[in-house]
Structures are given as structure tokens and as C-alpha cells.
Amino acid sequence: MDHIPIIKVGEFLLVSIQVDMHDRLAMRLQDDLTTQLIKTRAQGVLIDISSLDIVDSFIGRMIGNIASMMSILGAETVVVGMRPAVAITIVELGLSLSNVRTALNVDKGIGLLRVLVNSIGNEGSRHDNYQK
Amino acid sequence: MTIIKSEVLPLFTDDDLVKVRQAVRAWMIEQEFSLVTQTKMVTASSELGRNMVVYGGGGCARLECLNDFDRRGIRVIFEDQGPGIADISQALTDGFTTGDGLGLGLGLGGAKRLVNDFEIWSEPGHGTRVTITMWK
């Protein structure tokens, strides 16, 4: 698999990482997501990592980078479905993922994205939204 | 202590890194380590393997299944003939990275925290060997 599929659901982009991520695939996801965000004018990104059996510092940095890029482009990012063993491991590893919003599952993640996007306000241009 | 079985895997690309992670996972499952312990060992292996691919010019990972009296262990030895590490204690510090690090500089120190035993040998100009072991 050369790309991780990105699906548009309403005003959000949905990414479900189902494969054992090698590093190039992770880098490509950053590029694809920024391109799709601009193309679809989506306001939020949901990343489902329930299939990932590890998150190491590289994948952690990639997730953090995506959240930062989306934020600069005026969209919110929520990461859902982290396995308990992965959560325990990344804390001991020293990863904080402090700039990443998380939710337990896809349903709660969509709910959180709606709240985040609505609290920013929907009127005006994307750039205006980011400034508010 | 006896080595019950061992296997050497090449480690030069990020595809090799995925294979090493999968092999470490399979060996941990075979020895019935808990899910959290498996995850810690695979994550530590991923950090050390990536260091080797990115900074050490690649090398190999040697997996060993150990029997030490009444306990079993999985040991992974990462060895490269790369530039080596001049200051090991500095390299073990969180946040330390040379140049454009791909991670967060958590590789060595983070891996050390995740496993039971951690040993590092390095000689500038000759290479680096990192050994991690998980016991049950």
C-alpha cells in the first residue's frame, strides 16, 4: 500500500491507519492530508490509530506535526482509538503529544471535532476563523 | 544462561525496520509476554533500529531467546559499523539529537526506560552496539 486513504465525511477528513507504518508512508500522509484539506476545505481531521500496535517517537512526531499543520491551515485534529498498551508505552518513552487532542473512539472524536469547529465559528474565511 | 535460539535480520531501510518490529513482536508473543511488555519491547526496538538506519548507516539486529535458570528472556542486539557515538551519556539525554533528527531525540534514553536491561558500547569510527533484554 502506497498511500493511507483519506475519506471526506461531511466537513471532516477521516484517516484510519490500518497498516504497519513504515517511515515513508508516515511522511506521505502529512503531504496528502495538507493537500486534501485545502482541496476539500474540510474543517477538521480525525485520525484513527486503533490498528497501530506501537507509536514510537517518529510516529509520535508525525502525529504532532499533522496537528500543527492542520491548526495553521485553520482545521482541528483529533486522534482516536489509542490502545491502552500504546498509551502506557509512550508515557514511559517520554512522548507527551501535548499539542494533540485525543478522544476514546471515532464517535467521541467526531463529537469533539464538532464542538471545536463550532466554538471557532463558521462564518468568514478560513483565515478569519483561525484569528478568532 | 543459555541461548535457546537466535536469528539475525538485516537493518538498512525502513522496510527492514518494519520486519524487525514484526519479528520482535512474534518472539515476545511466543514466550507469552504480556501485551504491555510486548509493546514496550517492540517500541524500544523501533527506536534503536531507526537510530541505526538513520545515523549508523544500517547494520543488523540479532534476536535471541534466553533461558536463565527459571526465567525466560528476549534479547535484541543492534549492531552497526557506523560513525559511533562520541559522548554516550549525552546521547542518552532526552531531547539530544544531532542535526535534523527524525524523532524527538528520545531514541536512546526512551528505549532504556522501556526495557529491563540496557547495554551500550560504541567507539567513534568503528560503530555502535546496543543490547536490550526483557525478562519474564
Side-chain angles (χ1 to χ4, degrees), chain B residues 54-71:
Chain B
V54 175
Y55 301 111
C60 64
R62 182 185 180 86
L63 278 69
E64 292 176 343
C65 181
L66 309 172
N67 193 9
D68 183 34
F69 297 102
D70 57 347
R71 63 177 186 167

Side-chain angles (χ1 to χ4, degrees), chain A residues 75-92:
Chain A
E76 301 289 339
T77 305
V78 174
V79 172
V80 301
M82 185 181 291
R83 296 182 184 186
V86 171
I88 292 168
T89 301
I90 65 170
V91 170
E92 272 190 43

